[in-house]
């Protein structure tokens, strides 16, 4: 029980640090979760505006991660973190303006979104290793391990919560079917990505605690060895 409590405490502490470290991404993820819950509650196809806002928050989440890694890699950006995030918000709004005139969520919107997300993904994986500041293979390994762990935890949490809701529905009182969708939206859109971010170390930090955490994070698990 003590070990479980300590693990839970470390997880909550990591999540709180991720909220402070990636504020724009967390806001975008929470907003996406709220929109998804609203879409589930409609029981019909959502309006075009809602869909475009959803796409915008999705792109904004990736922009936020890229902005934070840029601040950590380049000291001059780190000293102007507020300005960097202001530019990130403007880029997110610019993306919305780019797709706002589209008559529907068509191929053009999907292609632009895919290109934007892929570009941001490549950028925030590459940034810590820019000019050989950090080993790129180690950065990629950390991202892979973090993604695998977050998916595993989210999967276990999903099964547990669904079983709990089903038990309440059968034994206590009727639970609306939408609750299952709401729960999955919270777990997979909010918890899983934020937990993934909480597992990413500060690759370019000179602080002793950050360097120790990074050293531990880049070690190969036995299964990969």
């Amino acid at each position: 029980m003590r070990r479980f409590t300590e693990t839970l405490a470390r997880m909550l502490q990591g999540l709180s640090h991720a909220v402070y470290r990636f504020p724009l991404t967390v806001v975008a993820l929470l907003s996406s979760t709220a929109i998804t819950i609203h879409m589930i509650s409609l029981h019909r196809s959502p309006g075009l505006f809602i869909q475009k806002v959803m796409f915008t928050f999705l792109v904004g989440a990736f922009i936020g991660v890229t902005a934070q890694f840029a601040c950590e890699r380049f000291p001059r950006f780190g000293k102007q973190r507020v300005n960097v995030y202001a530019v990130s918000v403007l880029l997110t709004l610019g993306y919305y303006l780019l797709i706002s005139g589209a008559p529907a969520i068509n191929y053009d919107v999907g292609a632009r979104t895919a290109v934007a997300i892929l570009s941001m993904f490549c950028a925030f994986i590459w940034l810590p290793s820019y000019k050989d500041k950090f080993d790129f293979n180690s950065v990629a390994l950390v991202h892979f391990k973090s993604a695998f762990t977050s998916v595993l935890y989210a999967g276990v949490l999903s099964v547990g919560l669904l079983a709990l809701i089903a038990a309440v529905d059968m034994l206590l009182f009727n639970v609306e079917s939408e609750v299952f969708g709401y729960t999955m939206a919270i777990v997979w859109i909010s918890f899983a990505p934020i937990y993934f971010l909480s597992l990413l170390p500060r690759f370019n930090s000179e602080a002793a605690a950050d360097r120790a955490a990074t050293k531990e994070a880049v070690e190969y698990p036995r299964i990969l060895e």
Side-chain angles (χ1 to χ4, degrees), residues 42-53:
L42 293 177
H43 299 288
R44 56 181 173 79
S45 179
L48 184 58
F49 172 74
I50 294 296
Q51 297 180 52
K52 291 178 180 179
V53 171

Side-chain angles (χ1 to χ4, degrees), residues 95 99 102 104-114:
Y95 171 80
I99 66 172
I105 302 299
N106 49 28
Y107 173 81
D108 291 338
V109 174
R112 291 172 180 173
T113 303

Side-chain angles (χ1 to χ4, degrees), residues 20 49 51 91 102 109 115 118 134 158 164 177 185 189 206 224:
Y20 173 77
F49 172 74
Q51 297 180 52
L91 288 175
V109 174
V115 169
L118 181 61
F134 202 91
S158 297
L164 178 62
S177 59
I189 302 178
E206 298 296 332
L224 290 183

Side-chain angles (χ1 to χ4, degrees), residues 8-21 26 190-196 198:
L8 181 61
R10 286 197 301 269
M11 179 184 294
L12 294 176
Q13 184 179 21
L15 291 174
S16 64
H17 288 168
V19 171
Y20 173 77
R21 186 182 175 196
V26 171
S190 289
F191 171 77
I194 296 175
Y195 184 62
F196 163 76
S198 73

